[in-house]
Amino acid sequence: MVKKINDFLAGLPMTIVAGVFLLFDLIPHLAEEFGGSIDLHIFPIDPAWVTVVISGLPLLYLAVWRIIHNPGISKISSALLISIAMFAAIAIGDLFAAGEVAFIMALGALLEDATTNRAKKGLKKLLTLAPTQGRRIRNGQEELIPAEQIQKGDLLRILPGETIPVDGTIVSGETSVDQSIMTGESLPVDKTTGEDVFCGTINRFGSIDITATKVGEDSSLQKLIRMVQDAENKQAPMQRIADRAASWLVPVALLIAILAYVFSGNIVTAVTVLVVFCPCALVLATPTAIMAAIGQATKHGVIIKSGEALEKMGKVDTIAFDKTGTLTYGRLEVSDVRPTSDALTGEDLLTLAASAEGKSEHPLGKAIVAHAKAQSLSLLDSQDFQMDAGKGIAAQIGEKHLLCGSEKYLREHGVPLDDAASTILDQLRTEGKASILVAAEGKCIGVIGLSDILRPEAKDMVSRLDAMHAKTVLLTGDNRKTADYFAGRVGIAEVRAELLPEEKVGSIESLRKEGRKVCMIGDGVNDAPALKTADVGVAMGSMGSDIAVEAADIALMSDDISKIPYLKRLSNATVATIKLSITLSMCINAAAIVLSLLELLNPTTGALVHNAGSCFVVLIAALLYDRKFE
């Protein structure tokens, strides 16, 4: 019952009422300052009493609650100091000062709530987008069922304009999907058979059938919601520091107020010190900045799990990248088709190799076949297909017996490498590419090179980080030549290659021992230990493994690494805003204390100066939400 009354009084409507009555009480004070007088005897009591009751009772409730429930020194809070200042002002008959202290604090709390609620818009949008039903197909019949009844493996039909109810894989149909809520992408993404779609995204054009792969709490949308909720429930170290500062400032304020009274003999001076000493601006500075920044990041498809991660990211000076799936797409594609003699064209070589690999399940073989089909080449029938796991395949194509595989595989079948093949092979290895040697009738006829595809935004991203004086490091399990090749293409100077997962952890630890603040960016299960070890872990949330995402402090839901400079700028700005707000609040407090001791401020004007500063601090933090960092 008491809490309900407290919440009612602390709400916006009653705070407005309190402000109106405080204004009524302010009018005679202003008139008196200008040599006039206004009679407000139409009120049976001083209007400021209404403000004291409406805004003061929630303040007193909070102070008492913290004394009862908070441990140790945290029992002493800013609410306690303001309550003491309010009662002191009442005791000396300055009802306007008492009401003003309580009202401005209530106004500051409302501003904090407004900033927090605005920052939570991304989460609220996610919650409203959670689908309520799906269109399941069984025995050729469609049926609408609640989303929570959809099971993994169910066949679902998604019509144009409908929200996709679960994560799934398209089994038929083509469409464009609005994934902005998940990835921040402004344009719909084209989707076809075999591609994944995510819960909460919107099917814009064609009708598609999907097989459910992740349902209920396992879906991407629910995971995203949980991550955002976790972010809002964690405090940053700066916030805890501010809370502790509020605790020790209270006894200091009381001591200075007592000394002021002892030396001046003026109780008004002592009360004024109590009024201006309140650390509410200090307490408000960090949570409002953190929440505004988390809300800003959510709009851009960057999920920050905690204020602590955001603050640490602002202090990071070294960013370590995994290669596969992070700087690259993590899939091999044909990059080179190199015959060893002029007697064979590249198209002929690709046709023969793809025809031989047509029945292969190996990723390299599938990549060769996919590339040939993309070139609209007609594949030939193959006979006598044989695969030697980990080495290569053999097949009969017309009258030719083909071998496709490694250098070792060809040598085992009595096929030597001539100088032309060896030269091509060495060149591809230098470029960090995988190679498939193709032989026909006992002779090597060419080499096909395959390479992981570098993300086009990677080079610009590294350049922008360099401009912010953030060092970049490549940590990868790939061989040295491959690592050096990709690092050179994006502009990363420091490379640590051929690393096992535990060696990545060791590299992170060694960087930290050098005094560096390290951010690790990765996507795979093998990156999870390094993500946990680093000061800040950032996971590629869309394509990255669930383990990596859970281990990380921050997730990029669109796998767009160009967001890293944005994240760094946002974090830097947040830390700078917090420091500015704390410094500003302490300067305002210090100046107001001096003016109070010089008796240039009274409780009324002191409350105006101090609490106006508190509101100003909150507004500075709120500006983070809409600031442009791109």
Side-chain angles (χ1 to χ4, degrees):
M1 183 66 180
V2 174
K3 188 178 185 305
K4 288 184 178 180
I5 295 174
N6 174 76
D7 291 342
F8 172 72
L9 292 176
L12 178 60
M14 292 305 294
T15 302
I16 292 174
V17 171
V20 170
F21 276 89
L22 188 64
L23 181 61
F24 283 142
D25 196 60
L26 176 62
I27 293 172
H29 288 277
L30 293 177
E32 186 177 334
E33 289 290 333
F34 289 101
S37 64
I38 296 179
D39 187 5
L40 287 179
H41 285 111
I42 56 172
F43 294 103
I45 59 172
D46 192 315
W49 273 115
V50 178
T51 305
V52 169
V53 172
I54 292 176
S55 297
L57 287 180
L59 192 66
L60 182 61
Y61 171 83
L62 179 61
V64 173
W65 190 93
R66 286 179 174 173
I67 290 173
I68 295 173
H69 296 284
N70 282 11
I73 192 67
S74 62
K75 291 178 180 293
I76 304 174
S77 64
S78 59
L80 177 61
L81 177 56
I82 300 170
S83 297
I84 293 172
M86 180 176 66
F87 281 116
I90 293 173
I92 64 171
D94 196 335
L95 290 177
F96 175 79
E100 184 183 49
V101 169
F103 171 73
I104 298 298
M105 187 62 184
L107 187 61
L110 286 175
L111 283 173
E112 181 185 9
D113 289 341
T115 302
T116 301
N117 290 333
R118 192 178 184 197
K120 289 181 179 178
K121 283 199 301 185
L123 176 58
K124 290 179 179 179
K125 190 175 182 182
L126 293 176
L127 293 172
T128 59
L129 283 178
T132 58
Q133 61 182 13
R135 194 183 305 273
R136 185 169 62 187
I137 301 176
R138 280 190 174 176
N139 301 319
Q141 300 294 318
E142 292 184 12
E143 57 176 342
L144 282 174
I145 62 171
E148 59 268 20
Q149 293 182 15
I150 298 175
Q151 302 294 317
K152 186 176 180 179
D154 281 350
L155 182 64
L156 306 172
R157 179 159 293 162
I158 317 295
L159 300 181
E162 290 185 340
T163 299
I164 298 173
V166 295
D167 288 11
T169 302
I170 298 176
V171 294
S172 67
E174 296 181 351
T175 188
S176 292
V177 178
D178 180 353
Q179 299 185 153
S180 58
I181 190 63
M182 294 294 297
T183 67
E185 295 169 290
S186 58
L187 297 175
V189 179
D190 294 336
K191 299 281 185 176
T192 188
T193 303
E195 295 190 277
D196 294 330
V197 292
F198 305 106
C199 176
T201 58
I202 302 172
N203 180 26
R204 286 299 185 195
F205 304 116
S207 176
I208 55 173
D209 291 347
I210 69 170
T211 299
T213 56
K214 293 182 180 179
V215 301
E217 293 300 313
D218 293 329
S219 72
S220 298
L221 181 62
Q222 292 300 326
K223 183 186 296 183
L224 187 62
I225 291 171
R226 287 198 303 274
M227 290 168 70
V228 177
Q229 288 172 330
D230 288 344
E232 292 171 349
N233 292 330
K234 295 180 181 178
Q235 290 184 326
M238 277 191 175
Q239 185 170 350
R240 291 193 291 270
I241 291 171
D243 292 339
R244 289 196 297 270
S247 299
W248 63 258
L249 279 174
V250 174
V252 171
L254 291 174
L255 177 61
I256 293 178
I258 292 171
L259 291 175
Y261 175 65
V262 169
F263 286 101
S264 69
N266 188 349
I267 189 64
V268 174
T269 300
V271 173
T272 304
V273 169
L274 289 176
V275 169
V276 302
F277 216 121
C278 172
C280 51
L282 184 66
V283 175
L284 292 175
T286 299
T288 50
I290 291 293
M291 291 309 306
I294 288 177
Q296 153 93 238
T298 302
K299 291 193 301 180
H300 289 79
V302 179
I303 304 302
I304 302 171
K305 295 184 181 181
S306 69
E308 182 175 0
L310 183 68
E311 182 193 334
K312 285 183 176 180
M313 189 67 194
K315 299 176 181 178
V316 160
D317 55 24
T318 302
I319 300 180
F321 293 91
D322 172 50
K323 180 187 78 67
T324 305
T326 304
L327 291 177
T328 68
Y329 285 112
R331 62 176 185 268
L332 290 177
E333 294 183 2
V334 173
S335 58
D336 300 81
V337 180
R338 308 277 293 276
T340 56
S341 71
D342 295 335
L344 195 68
T345 66
E347 188 174 289
D348 292 336
L349 176 63
L350 181 59
T351 299
L352 288 172
S355 299
E357 294 279 8
K359 298 176 182 178
S360 174
E361 291 298 319
H362 193 280
L364 296 184
K366 287 184 174 181
I368 292 173
V369 173
H371 185 69
K373 289 181 177 179
Q375 302 295 317
S376 301
L377 298 181
S378 298
L379 303 188
L380 306 173
D381 291 334
S382 64
Q383 304 294 328
D384 301 327
F385 176 83
Q386 294 179 341
M387 183 175 70
D388 194 345
K391 296 181 180 180
I393 63 99
Q396 189 73 29
I397 306 296
E399 297 180 355
K400 294 181 179 180
H401 182 69
L402 263 67
L403 299 174
C404 298
S406 65
E407 181 180 357
K408 181 180 179 181
Y409 182 67
L410 265 61
R411 292 190 187 281
E412 288 178 355
H413 286 76
V415 179
L417 293 189
D418 56 22
D419 291 341
S422 297
T423 300
I424 295 171
L425 198 58
D426 289 341
Q427 181 182 349
L428 294 177
R429 285 172 177 166
T430 301
E431 295 175 357
K433 298 176 181 178
S435 302
I436 295 291
L437 296 165
V438 184
E441 303 304 323
K443 181 181 179 181
C444 182
I445 61 174
V447 184
I448 295 179
L450 299 99
S451 175
D452 199 350
I453 306 302
L454 186 70
R455 295 180 186 271
E457 65 271 21
K459 184 175 182 179
D460 178 65
M461 178 269 299
V462 171
S463 176
R464 288 161 66 192
L465 289 175
D466 287 342
M468 286 187 279
H469 307 291
K471 296 181 180 178
T472 51
V473 182
L474 180 61
L475 304 180
T476 178
D478 282 356
N479 64 68
R480 169 61 63 175
K481 286 186 177 180
T482 300
D484 287 341
Y485 174 73
F486 279 98
R489 289 186 63 187
V490 299
I492 295 178
E494 188 173 348
V495 180
R496 303 188 183 191
E498 300 176 6
L499 301 177
L500 296 173
E502 59 268 25
E503 291 172 326
K504 285 188 178 181
V505 171
S507 292
I508 295 291
E509 290 176 340
S510 69
L511 289 170
R512 295 183 67 188
K513 286 178 181 177
E514 293 173 12
R516 303 195 203 182
K517 297 294 184 181
V518 183
C519 169
M520 174 68 192
I521 302 173
D523 78 308
V525 174
N526 64 322
D527 296 321
L531 291 170
K532 274 293 186 185
T533 304
D535 294 284
V536 181
V538 178
M540 310 293 281
S542 177
M543 293 182 66
S545 72
D546 290 345
I547 294 176
V549 172
E550 292 297 327
D553 303 296
I554 300 170
L556 306 179
M557 297 313 296
S558 63
D559 282 350
D560 182 1
I561 56 173
S562 67
K563 298 292 185 186
I564 297 298
Y566 157 78
L567 175 61
K568 179 63 178 160
R569 287 195 182 97
L570 173 65
S571 303
N572 291 349
T574 303
V575 171
T577 298
I578 292 171
K579 289 180 177 179
L580 172 64
S581 296
I582 289 176
T583 301
L584 181 63
S585 68
M586 295 183 73
C587 288
I588 291 174
N589 276 17
I593 290 168
V594 172
L595 293 174
S596 300
L597 294 175
L598 295 174
E599 298 186 0
L600 296 176
L601 291 179
N602 57 37
T604 300
T605 54
L608 279 172
V609 170
H610 173 265
N611 288 299
S614 300
C615 295
F616 185 56
V617 162
V618 175
L619 291 174
I620 290 175
L623 294 176
L624 271 175
Y625 185 77
D626 289 317
R627 192 184 301 180
K628 302 297 182 182
F629 293 97
E630 296 291 349

